[in-house]
Amino acid sequence: EQEITGITSTVITERGHLESDIEYENTPPVGGNHAPSWLGCNGDVYGEPVRKENAVHSLEHGAVWVTYQSDLPEDQVKDLQGKVRGYSFISPYPEQESPIMLTAWGVQLAVDSADDPRIDQFLAKFRQGPQTPEPGATCNAIPGVAM
């Protein structure tokens, strides 16, 4: 298995459920305490920024969160949207430093362009990957929970 260059790893020590807003060290966050409800993460495409506390719960279930800066060209956004399916989801994240970020529980990768081959490698390795705290937990959206 080839090593994916550029991945940063973070040790996550807490994963409690909190109703309040949470300050995270990473942007986007890679894990930690989170909201009790998760975001739908079976290829879900969010056109607006999502609440990070709910997104982190999806990471706990083994999802990969693909995020991008608001000014990423539309063709690249479409390319990225085409890559998300089961156990992954995508949303804009205006305040992140890199044009595109891939985040799974405890691991993150920043890339500059949607044609970077590491995107597919990251998705293949970390969707329900070995880092998942709750493998097999659902990514179906919770009915009636608005995000």
Side-chain angles (χ1 to χ4, degrees):
E1 167 182 33
Q2 70 194 79
E3 201 51 49
I4 305 170
T5 57
I7 289 181
T8 57
S9 295
T10 305
V11 175
I12 310 294
T13 56
E14 296 182 304
R15 37 184 273 237
H17 290 173
L18 302 176
E19 294 288 355
S20 58
D21 291 343
I22 299 168
E23 288 297 315
Y24 291 102
E25 289 179 25
N26 304 73
T27 306
V30 299
N33 292 329
H34 50 267
S37 53
W38 57 91
L39 288 178
C41 44
N42 276 325
D44 294 76
V45 173
Y46 298 95
E48 299 293 324
V50 296
R51 189 164 180 262
K52 57 187 184 292
E53 291 83 0
N54 300 98
V56 169
H57 196 153
S58 301
L59 300 181
E60 185 183 39
H61 289 193
V64 172
W65 183 14
V66 180
T67 54
Y68 57 91
Q69 290 175 336
S70 303
D71 59 356
L72 189 71
E74 186 61 32
D75 61 322
Q76 292 199 44
V77 173
K78 288 263 184 278
D79 281 355
L80 291 171
Q81 289 172 345
K83 293 177 186 290
V84 296
R85 46 187 191 277
Y87 287 103
S88 53
F89 62 110
I90 184 169
S91 72
Y93 205 103
E95 57 272 40
Q96 69 187 29
E97 287 182 23
S98 184
I100 300 166
M101 303 280 289
L102 289 100
T103 304
W105 188 270
V107 289
Q108 198 161 53
L109 175 66
V111 298
D112 292 330
S113 169
D115 61 10
D116 191 308
R118 293 175 296 169
I119 294 172
D120 292 332
Q121 294 168 4
F122 189 98
L123 285 164
K125 181 168 185 174
F126 292 112
R127 260 192 203 116
Q128 287 284 287
Q131 82 295 344
T132 301
E134 296 180 0
T138 184
C139 250
N140 292 333
I142 305 167
V145 174
M147 293 303 151

